[in-house]
Amino acid sequence: MMIFLAALTVMSLITATIVIVIVVRMLRSRGQRFKQQKMILAEGTMAQAVIQSIHQTNAQLDDQPEVLLSLAVSEPEGNVVPAEVKTVIPIISIPAFQKGNTIEVKYMTIGGERRYEVVGAYVP
């Protein structure tokens, strides 16, 4: 019986350690995402985008809704490119984020991929 309890305790500690490692990695990844988002909004190239569709996700950040925006982005060079952006918008700004509305975005190429962020998005 004593060996069984010791084995159960060890398994519980291993499980708890794995959960802690996963949570720490998720928080670190989220922090890197916010850092990248802030960099794009500070240093990126400005463009106009027309909202093609908007869908709320099941996530929130500080009681602000996360949404998935499908956009038609008009870049300064004259190109119109499709883009999808997952972002958190201030709840007070919801009326501005409707299908057909034009919003401002900033973009930057990172790791060979064009990344877009919404100007006015909620960034903690």
Side-chain angles (χ1 to χ4, degrees):
M1 185 69 159
M2 194 73 142
I3 294 173
F4 175 73
L5 290 176
L8 188 59
T9 302
V10 169
M11 288 177 51
S12 296
L13 288 173
I14 291 171
T15 302
T17 303
I18 290 171
V19 169
I20 290 170
V21 168
I22 291 170
V23 169
V24 167
R25 285 184 180 173
M26 286 173 45
L27 290 173
R28 186 176 295 145
S29 174
R30 181 182 243 185
Q32 289 172 340
R33 179 175 170 230
F34 290 142
K35 183 177 178 180
Q36 185 181 76
Q37 186 179 19
K38 289 176 183 180
M39 180 181 70
I40 293 169
L41 289 170
E43 302 171 19
T45 303
M46 185 71 78
Q48 299 290 310
V50 176
I51 299 173
Q52 304 297 305
S53 69
I54 179 171
H55 300 284
Q56 186 172 352
T57 69
N58 290 328
Q60 290 188 348
L61 181 61
D62 298 334
D63 294 326
Q64 307 304 312
E66 181 184 67
V67 297
L68 180 63
L69 297 170
S70 292
L71 305 171
V73 180
S74 299
E75 296 178 343
E77 303 84 29
N79 304 329
V80 177
V81 296
E84 282 199 352
V85 178
K86 189 182 288 188
T87 190
V88 177
I89 59 173
I91 199 161
I92 197 166
S93 300
I94 288 175
F97 288 87
Q98 301 300 314
K99 182 177 178 177
N101 286 4
T102 301
I103 60 172
E104 291 184 338
V105 297
K106 287 195 173 184
Y107 65 92
M108 183 179 281
T109 302
I110 299 173
E113 185 179 335
R114 179 95 16 123
R115 307 268 182 165
Y116 296 89
E117 293 297 338
V118 175
V119 175
Y122 178 75
V123 183

